[in-house]
């Protein structure tokens, strides 16, 4: 009886410690907004640098004043391009405040793709359920006002890349984009690069190719890399969301290896073709699982510069 009582007490203390850690993650870690910076030598000699601001997984809930102010402050980095990889919403009344938060960034050229939580409201769940494997969309899901959000993005000049391709000229260089709708819920369809785009060898001299997706699932990454993407941008993983000390991810909520849950890595196809991948750890978390432990919310500056010889 004493042993059983001891084990029960130990289990209770372990549960309390776990709950305390999660409460800390919610109270402190989830509000410690961070701006990361990467520098990639992907441009040829003589090319002007190109500054990309990558934002993802805002998961906005009305009343998040600190998050709104921080998002507004990001305009100070003066990006040449904003790339938004989805999951902006976490509440059906959030659209006006999201647009207010992103208002200064909407003044810059931008592209975006949807995430599942732009389309559908989150449902109440145990945050530790994240470790059971990739999440799924509830069949009785509540639809969010994504049309209102995306129309406002488009009116401001941001390009919707959901299963689309688009070319832009940024800093005197052609940038070719190819995007997909959210692979996490099976909406992706790769459409290639803009029609009339030059072959890969010529594109390497004249154009930059960027693939954009919400969830960095392997078949989409391989499609982009096989088609000649120089850079692939994605979100969705939340950097692992509930991580070991040092930000070591345990899961990615998809088939991406945990070592690539955040930051810069490489995608190499079975044929040996490689592309640079940046996965954003994101800015928020689902309103029904609002915890980030050892994984601070973040946006990222990706400065593209000339190759170093």
């Amino acid at each position: 009886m004493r042993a059983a009582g001891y084990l029960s007490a130990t289990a209770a203390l372990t549960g309390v410690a776990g709950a305390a850690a999660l409460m800390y993650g919610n109270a402190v870690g989830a509000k410690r907004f961070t701006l990361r910076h990467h520098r990639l030598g992907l441009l040829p000699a003589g090319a002007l640098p190109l500054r990309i601001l990558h934002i993802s997984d805002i998961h906005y809930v009305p009343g998040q004043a600190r998050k709104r102010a921080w998002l507004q402050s990001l305009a100070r980095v003066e990006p040449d391009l904003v790339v938004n990889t989805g999951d902006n919403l976490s509440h059906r009344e959030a659209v006006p405040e999201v647009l207010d938060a992103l208002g200064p960034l909407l003044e810059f050229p931008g592209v975006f793709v949807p995430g599942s939580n732009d389309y559908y409201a989150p449902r109440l769940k145990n945050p530790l359920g994240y470790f059971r494997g990739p999440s799924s969309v509830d069949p009785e899901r509540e639809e969010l006002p994504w049309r209102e959000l995306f129309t406002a993005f488009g009116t401001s000049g941001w390009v919707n890349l959901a299963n689309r391709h688009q070319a832009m000229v940024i800093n005197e260089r052609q940038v070719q984009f190819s995007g997909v709708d959210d692979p996490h819920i099976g909406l992706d369809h790769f459409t290639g690069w803009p029609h009339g785009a030059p072959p890969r060898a010529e594109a390497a001299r004249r154009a930059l190719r960027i693939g954009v997706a919400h969830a960095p699932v392997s078949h989409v990454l391989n499609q982009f890399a096989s088609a000649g993407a120089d850079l692939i941008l994605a979100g969705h993983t939340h950097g692992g969301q509930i991580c070991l000390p040092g930000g070591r991810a345990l899961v990615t909520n998809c088939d991406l290896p945990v070592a690539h849950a955040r930051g810069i890595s490489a995608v190499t196809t079975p044929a040996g073709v490689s592309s640079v991948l940046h996965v954003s750890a994101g800015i928020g978390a689902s309103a029904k699982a609002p915890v980030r432990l050892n994984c601070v919310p973040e946006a990222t500056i990706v400065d593209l510069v000339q190759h170093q010889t």
Side-chain angles (χ1 to χ4, degrees):
M1 294 295 291
R2 288 182 179 177
Y6 174 79
L7 291 174
S8 297
T10 300
L13 288 172
T14 300
V16 169
L22 291 177
M23 288 175 64
Y24 173 84
N26 184 41
V28 179
K31 298 177 182 177
R32 216 172 76 209
F33 300 111
T34 300
L35 182 62
R36 301 199 184 277
H37 192 176
H38 296 288
R39 185 180 175 91
L40 299 175
L42 295 180
L43 303 181
L48 294 174
L50 192 155
R51 169 162 286 193
I52 299 172
L53 175 66
H54 183 187
I55 60 175
S56 194
D57 298 274
I58 296 171
H59 288 285
Y60 201 94
V61 174
Q64 293 181 318
R66 185 181 298 183
K67 181 185 289 185
R68 182 171 69 250
W70 183 73
L71 285 166
Q72 290 174 335
S73 76
L74 293 176
R76 293 200 296 261
V77 307
E78 297 185 343
D80 299 304
L81 172 72
V82 180
V83 178
N84 180 334
T85 48
D87 274 7
N88 296 273
L89 304 177
S90 206
H91 192 283
R92 67 173 301 101
E93 304 298 330
V95 170
E97 289 190 36
V98 169
L99 293 175
D100 181 50
L102 295 178
L105 292 178
L106 290 169
E107 299 297 319
F108 298 94
V111 297
F112 68 96
V113 291
S116 61
N117 283 147
D118 289 314
Y119 293 128
Y120 306 115
R123 298 293 294 269
L124 185 64
K125 62 184 72 174
N126 180 349
L128 296 180
Y130 191 59
F131 295 100
R132 299 192 188 108
S135 59
S136 59
V137 176
D138 192 295
E140 298 180 359
R141 55 195 180 263
E142 175 192 4
E143 188 171 359
L144 294 176
W146 57 272
R147 294 176 184 83
E148 178 184 346
L149 179 68
F150 294 171
T151 297
F153 283 172
T155 300
S156 296
W158 283 11
V159 176
N160 188 344
L161 291 176
N163 299 334
R164 292 186 59 216
H165 45 256
Q166 181 77 30
M168 297 182 185
V169 175
I170 304 174
N171 286 1
E172 301 179 8
R173 185 168 187 82
Q174 186 185 77
V175 182
Q176 299 170 359
F177 297 95
S178 187
V180 294
D181 208 336
D182 191 4
H184 185 61
I185 52 176
L187 297 180
D188 57 294
H189 174 64
F190 177 60
T191 63
W193 304 105
H195 298 300
R200 182 180 177 120
E202 295 179 24
R205 293 192 298 270
R206 299 193 308 172
L208 176 74
R209 288 179 165 176
I210 300 178
V212 186
H214 175 65
V217 300
S218 60
H219 76 270
V220 169
L221 299 182
N222 285 332
Q223 283 176 327
F224 284 145
S226 296
D230 300 294
L231 175 65
I232 305 169
L233 300 173
H236 177 70
T237 66
H238 298 180
Q241 187 164 334
I242 300 173
C243 297
L244 296 175
R248 290 175 292 168
L250 299 172
V251 293
T252 61
N253 199 18
C254 63
D255 63 354
L256 185 73
V258 293
H260 300 168
R262 69 191 303 167
I264 299 292
S265 61
V267 175
T268 302
T269 72
V273 180
S274 293
S275 297
V276 178
L277 170 67
H278 178 258
V279 176
S280 171
I283 295 165
S286 167
K288 302 301 182 181
V291 176
R292 294 180 71 108
L293 183 63
N294 297 317
C295 184
V296 296
E298 66 180 50
T300 310
I301 297 170
V302 181
D303 278 329
L304 303 186
V305 297
Q306 299 176 31
H307 294 291
Q308 295 297 316
T309 57

